Amino acid sequence: NLTGMVGDGVVLDDFDADDEADYRYRGWEGSAVVMPLPDTLHFGHRYEGYAAERYDNGVVDVLHAFTVSATVMPLEMLKIGLSYKWKLLDSEQEPDIDDDVLVLSTQAVL
């Protein structure tokens, strides 16, 4: 299963009264899910990119995020997932912080 999307926009609130765009952004994503056992086991990978420019100053911050995941459904009513998301900030002004995420999740039908 492959998916992808793109988008962009601009915020024109002009809260600083300079007659310029306050915020420009664009984003993109691509993902793939492999289901070796369609009702029991899924593996996924996703890449997300988000670029933002504040105050029409030409400085663009780009956040890259890579996610890998595994989901197992041992029972029809139970789903267990494990995901790791690695985030990397490409910026001239902001430091990249250690904000990667490891998530273990469960879902049950009651």
Side-chain angles (χ1 to χ4, degrees):
N1 188 8
L2 300 174
T3 61
M5 65 180 168
V6 296
D8 64 7
V10 62
V11 176
L12 300 172
D13 290 345
D14 200 23
F15 58 83
D16 52 1
D18 65 355
D19 293 326
E20 300 290 334
D22 293 323
Y23 190 76
R24 297 179 191 278
Y25 59 92
R26 65 186 183 278
W28 51 95
E29 173 189 290
S31 66
V33 176
V34 177
M35 298 172 269
L37 302 171
D39 295 330
T40 308
L41 183 62
H42 299 178
F43 295 106
H45 180 271
R46 181 164 86 181
Y47 167 74
E48 303 164 74
Y50 183 79
E53 175 189 4
R54 292 176 182 81
Y55 308 117
D56 212 19
N57 63 5
V59 177
V60 178
D61 295 336
V62 181
L63 178 63
H64 304 275
F66 304 87
T67 305
V68 293
S69 63
T71 303
V72 62
M73 293 150 284
L75 305 171
E76 186 177 334
M77 299 173 20
L78 180 64
K79 183 187 288 188
I80 302 168
L82 182 65
S83 298
Y84 182 76
K85 185 173 193 174
W86 175 55
K87 298 191 275 183
L88 177 63
L89 179 63
D90 182 10
S91 172
E92 296 175 12
Q93 295 181 329
E94 302 292 329
D96 184 32
I97 59 175
D98 186 13
D99 58 348
D100 300 346
V101 180
L102 178 65
V103 176
L104 176 63
S105 63
T106 59
Q107 294 178 355
V109 176
L110 302 176

